[in-house]
């Protein structure tokens, strides 16, 4: 009995300390939260291809204008568009156009998307550096991902089964490639579906028979150097046209590289002041310089004019 | 002393209150389970109406966003799930029972005190970490051993799930071995049998139903696991033909597609139908584990 009461006495201060500590933490949370609520919060969600680029744009923007807090998350273009429709984000990143079904659903829910092009991506087909193949035609890339060409030998490479890497169906890149390169045919069921661009790069680096597709920003590392272990293929529009690399600026700007696409952001209706200011920063010469520094490409005049109309 | 003092009118009221509280929380668990089942049934019905049972149950092609023709066959994913789980159990069950026997009958108390917490810690590793190990360590290792170009396949998933199911199998098997009355093994040892013979001929048969239950519960754990298989198996949709092929499980498919699916579309309902399938599988596995465990308890009493 005596021993027990002794223990009880010792336990009490500990319990008190715990309770006091917890209440202090709770108090701190309550005190701090109104302060952070005063900052303007902008939620940005969507395309995995764009997440790094937009993250860097957001960071630079926040150091310049500390009044706004931007939160950028990935998840895929489909996820971003779904979030705009469901009203769970302020700005959606997407690397493909809205699908008709998505537009219908948006209008049904009273959502009026406004679409801005903020950069241009040259979709890059990557293989392992040990692969002797340098160039493929669009038709060959389509056949490979449809599963019609199964061996590298057919393309003049070594004898070995082609190991396919791709994105998941919520990815804008997945849809874009399906529409523009696979001619709206099904992907091969053998495609290994990875979680994002970075995982595809990682897998192709390790897999000598691998082939995958990524946004051009992902073929560079943090220091802007071309990543080791992979090779970015040159693409021919068809058998008789010249080959172009997605790393060749002039070829992309003159639209000679066959699989380039705009990268978009969408808002619901007229963008709010905070979102509008961020969009203007992205489209400014300063923002576009960051886009180029990250390996993507500036947007052309036509798209820029369209953007300015949408901002109003 | 204190408890005696507290008894009286207030003590009875308090007892009654606590009794009700516990009863209510027990009921709540059942209500939640029934609620989940009702929700899954309710949201799956439109899927079966729009797709048809025949396609859902017999097609091996799952491609809801296909520009050619959307298809909703769950067979490839069911086969992948079953294959990975069976593979994991083949690896984990013998090992788990061996470890449990060692811990209950062979190891010194000191060793047991060190090893048991470590085994239980194994269960605390987040599944995403296990998946990461699969992606970067087990995968390249398997690729080298089997001379493949990559290691994102069913075997990788099975290996990882085996590791994740081990703590469940070990601790439940060990508990049921310990629950065998001491008189059984004492009698066996007194008749001149050694520890090995006692274990194999007396203790494991006596604890058999508990060990079976540990297998079932480990299996339930493996079937429901999502993140690990999502990261390690490559998620190809093709029907699996072998352990060295990339596969996509039911759980991985739901995780991949639920984030982007337009609400209340056929695809959305179809994913809930997959959820229903998964729920039924795990429910029956856990139910049979419970029945087996209950049987053992009665037998040993």
């Amino acid at each position: 009995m005596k021993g027990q009461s002794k223990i009880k006495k010792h336990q009490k201060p500990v319990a008190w300390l715990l309770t006091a500590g917890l209440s202090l933490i709770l108090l701190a949370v309550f005190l701090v939260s109104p302060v952070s609520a005063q900052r303007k919060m902008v939620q940005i969600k969507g395309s995995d291809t764009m997440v790094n680029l937009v993250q860097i744009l957001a960071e630079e923007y926040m150091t310049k204008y500390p009044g706004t807090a931007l939160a950028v998350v990935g998840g895929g273009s489909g996820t971003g568009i779904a979030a705009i429709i469901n009203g769970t984000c302020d700005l959606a990143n997407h690397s493909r156009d809205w699908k008709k079904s998505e537009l219908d659903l948006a209008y049904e829910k009273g959502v009026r998307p406004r679409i801005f092009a903020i950069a241009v991506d040259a979709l890059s087909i990557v293989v392992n550096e040990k692969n002797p193949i340098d160039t493929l035609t669009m038709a060959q890339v389509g056949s490979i991902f449809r599963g019609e060409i199964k061996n590298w030998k057919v393309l003049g490479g070594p004898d070995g089964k082609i190991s396919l890497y791709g994105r998941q169906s919520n990815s804008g890149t997945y849809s874009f490639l399906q529409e523009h390169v696979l001619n709206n045919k099904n992907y091969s069921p053998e495609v290994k579906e990875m979680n994002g661009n970075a995982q595809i790069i990682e897998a192709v680096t390790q897999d000598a028979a691998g082939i995958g597709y990524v946004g051009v920003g992902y073929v560079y590392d943090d220091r802007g150097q071309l990543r080791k272990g992979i090779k970015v293929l040159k693409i021919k529009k068809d058998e008789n046209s010249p080959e172009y690399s997605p790393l060749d600026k002039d070829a992309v700007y003159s639209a000679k590289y066959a699989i380039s696409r705009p990268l978009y952001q969408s808002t619901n209706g007229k963008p709010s002041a905070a979102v509008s200011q961020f969009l203007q920063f992205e489209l400014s010469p300063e923002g576009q310089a960051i886009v180029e520094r990250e390996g993507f490409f500036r947007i052309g005049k036509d798209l820029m004019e369209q953007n300015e109309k949408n901002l109003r | 002393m204190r408890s005696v003092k507290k008894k009286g009118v207030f003590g009875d009221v308090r007892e009654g209150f606590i009794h009700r509280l516990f009863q209510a929380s027990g009921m709540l668990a059942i209500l939640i389970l029934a609620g989940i089942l009702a929700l899954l049934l309710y949201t799956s019905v439109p899927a079966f109406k729009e797709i048809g049972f025949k396609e859902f149950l017999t097609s091996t092609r799952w491609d809801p966003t296909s520009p050619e023709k959307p298809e909703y066959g769950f067979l490839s994913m069911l086969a992948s799930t079953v294959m990975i789980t069976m593979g994991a159990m083949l690896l984990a069950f013998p090992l788990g029972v061996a470890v449990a026997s060692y811990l209950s009958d062979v190891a010194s108390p000191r060793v047991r005190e060190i090893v048991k917490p470590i085994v239980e810690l194994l269960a605390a590793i987040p599944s995403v970490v296990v998946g990461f190990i699969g992606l970067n360590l087990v995968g390249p290792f398997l690729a080298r051993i089997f001379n493949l170009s990559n290691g994102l396949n069913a075997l990788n998933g099975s290996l990882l799930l085996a590791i994740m199911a081990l703590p469940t199998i070990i601790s439940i098997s060990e508990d049921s071995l310990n629950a065998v009355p001491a008189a059984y093994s004492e009698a066996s040892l007194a008749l001149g049998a050694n520890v090995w013979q006692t274990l194999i001929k007396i203790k494991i048969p006596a604890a058999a139903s508990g060990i079976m239950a540990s297998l079932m519960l480990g299996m339930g754990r493996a079937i429901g696991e999502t993140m690990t298989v999502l990261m390690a198996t490559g998620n190809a949709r093709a029907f699996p033909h072998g352990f060295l092929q990339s596969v996509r499980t039911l759980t991985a498919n739901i995780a991949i597609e639920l984030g982007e699916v337009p609400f209340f579309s056929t695809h959305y309902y179809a994913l809930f139908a997959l959820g229903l399938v998964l729920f039924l599988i795990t429910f029956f596995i856990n139910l049979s584990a419970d029945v087996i465990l209950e049987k053992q308890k009665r037998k040993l009493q």
Side-chain angles (χ1 to χ4, degrees), chain A residues 15-32:
Chain A
W16 265 107
L17 269 177
L18 268 177
T19 324
L22 272 176
S23 12
L24 268 178
I25 292 169
L26 276 177
L27 196 68
V29 169
F30 279 119
L31 283 178
V32 169

Side-chain angles (χ1 to χ4, degrees), chain A residues 39-173:
Chain A
R39 292 177 73 195
K40 277 171 260 165
M41 277 294 293
V42 176
Q43 295 284 348
I44 307 174
K45 195 172 187 177
S47 169
D48 176 74
T49 306
M50 297 167 68
V51 68
N52 283 357
L53 172 66
V54 176
Q55 178 70 44
I56 284 160
L57 283 164
E59 275 166 18
E60 303 246 345
Y61 179 79
M62 282 188 282
T63 40
K64 230 178 147 184
Y65 308 95
T68 314
L70 302 155
V72 188
V73 291
S77 301
T79 315
I81 288 175
I84 275 286
I85 296 174
N86 297 330
T88 53
C89 77
D90 304 303
L91 199 55
N93 296 332
H94 51 104
S95 63
R96 61 163 167 83
D97 294 324
W98 283 62
K99 289 178 187 162
K100 198 185 162 290
S101 58
E102 288 164 342
L103 282 174
D104 289 347
L105 197 65
Y107 272 81
E108 212 175 275
K109 290 199 171 188
V111 173
R112 301 284 177 272
R114 283 205 193 184
I115 303 167
F116 304 87
I118 64 151
V120 171
D121 175 32
L123 193 63
S124 307
I125 310 295
V126 293
V127 295
N128 191 278
E129 64 177 348
K130 287 184 202 129
N131 196 319
I133 289 167
D134 292 312
T135 307
L136 290 175
T137 65
M138 292 262 281
Q140 283 171 329
V141 175
S143 303
I144 290 172
F145 279 99
R146 282 193 301 262
E148 293 154 12
I149 300 179
K150 289 185 191 303
N151 198 307
W152 284 111
K153 209 166 67 176
V154 182
L155 301 159
D159 186 14
K161 195 168 183 280
I162 299 177
S163 169
L164 300 163
Y165 293 94
R167 296 282 306 282
Q168 296 158 356
S169 58
N170 62 346
S171 149
T173 318

Side-chain angles (χ1 to χ4, degrees), chain A residues 1 8 78-79 86 105 163 165 168-170 174 178 184-186 189-194 199 206-207 209, chain B residues 1-2 61 63 65-68 135 140 149-150 152 234-238 245-246 248 256-257 259-260 262:
Chain A
M1 257 296 137
K8 272 270 147 72
T79 315
N86 297 330
L105 197 65
S163 169
Y165 293 94
Q168 296 158 356
S169 58
N170 62 346
Y174 173 102
Q178 187 160 41
N184 275 324
K185 293 285 186 319
N186 290 336
E190 309 267 330
V191 181
K192 290 180 276 300
E193 297 190 4
M194 314 301 279
Q199 269 197 21
Q206 289 177 9
D207 189 339
Chain B
M1 277 288 184
R2 279 176 78 174
R61 219 172 64 82
D63 196 350
T65 59
S66 163
E68 291 178 41
L135 195 62
S149 72
N150 66 81
L152 298 175
N235 305 315
R237 302 174 199 192
Q245 204 193 336
S246 170
R248 179 195 290 223
I256 287 171
E257 292 178 358
E260 53 111 13

